[in-house]
Amino acid sequence: MNSIILKLSSRLLCPILTLLAIYALYRGHNDPGGGFIGGLILSASLIFKILAFGPHEIHRRLWCTPRQLILSGLSAALIAGLMPLTVGKDFLQSLWLPTFELPLLGSMHIGTPLLFDIGVFMIVIGFVLTVILELQEAE
């Protein structure tokens, strides 16, 4: 598709969707959201780019293949599950760093649930990109 409107709107909306995805990812362990919905929002942004510029543009900009992204996400989720075992807690039990304050962002809660959400985030993006790119290249 060669639509100037689609190209211009993707340049405007994709950064906004990316910020929304990161916000949903971070807020997910305390409020509604998380890795799954954040991954879907970012995937929607990437699909928008694929429709506007074609799959070759996404291949050129990605730093890894979608399958490597899935593998990295699975590794992050597994590490988040195994970390509590090193301090005598149960598998997938939460470990938290001390809370700290950042200007404009407020208090930051960082722990294994966020690492697990990042893993889910990467798995969802990798899976959706794999499916969409395979469908685009089949044409």
Side-chain angles (χ1 to χ4, degrees):
M1 191 179 308
N2 196 11
S3 168
I4 189 75
I5 295 171
L6 188 60
K7 288 180 180 181
L8 287 175
S9 61
S10 74
R11 286 192 180 129
L12 174 69
L13 291 176
C14 287
I16 295 168
L17 286 172
T18 301
L19 287 174
L20 182 62
I22 292 169
Y23 178 76
L25 169 66
Y26 174 69
R27 296 303 296 172
H29 61 273
N30 289 329
D31 292 326
F36 187 77
I37 192 64
L40 287 178
I41 294 169
L42 189 63
S43 295
S45 170
L46 294 173
I47 290 170
F48 203 21
K49 285 277 191 194
I50 290 170
L51 290 175
F53 299 102
H56 59 280
E57 182 69 19
I58 294 296
H59 282 300
R60 190 176 68 80
R61 291 182 181 237
L62 283 179
W63 52 272
C64 66
T65 66
R67 287 185 174 96
Q68 290 171 332
L69 201 57
I70 293 171
L71 183 61
S72 299
L74 285 171
S75 299
L78 181 64
I79 290 169
L82 293 175
M83 283 176 67
L85 295 176
T86 62
V87 293
K89 293 187 175 187
D90 293 332
F91 181 72
L92 279 177
Q93 191 171 359
S94 298
L95 292 178
W96 296 95
L97 292 175
T99 302
F100 56 95
E101 295 284 329
L102 285 179
L104 299 174
L105 295 176
S107 63
M108 300 288 286
H109 307 283
I110 308 247
T112 56
L114 182 60
L115 180 60
F116 183 81
D117 275 344
I118 290 171
V120 172
F121 183 78
M122 292 168 34
I123 292 167
V124 169
I125 294 168
F127 177 77
V128 171
L129 278 180
T130 298
V131 170
I132 294 299
L133 290 174
E134 291 293 326
L135 289 173
Q136 278 286 323
E137 292 168 357
E139 294 176 358

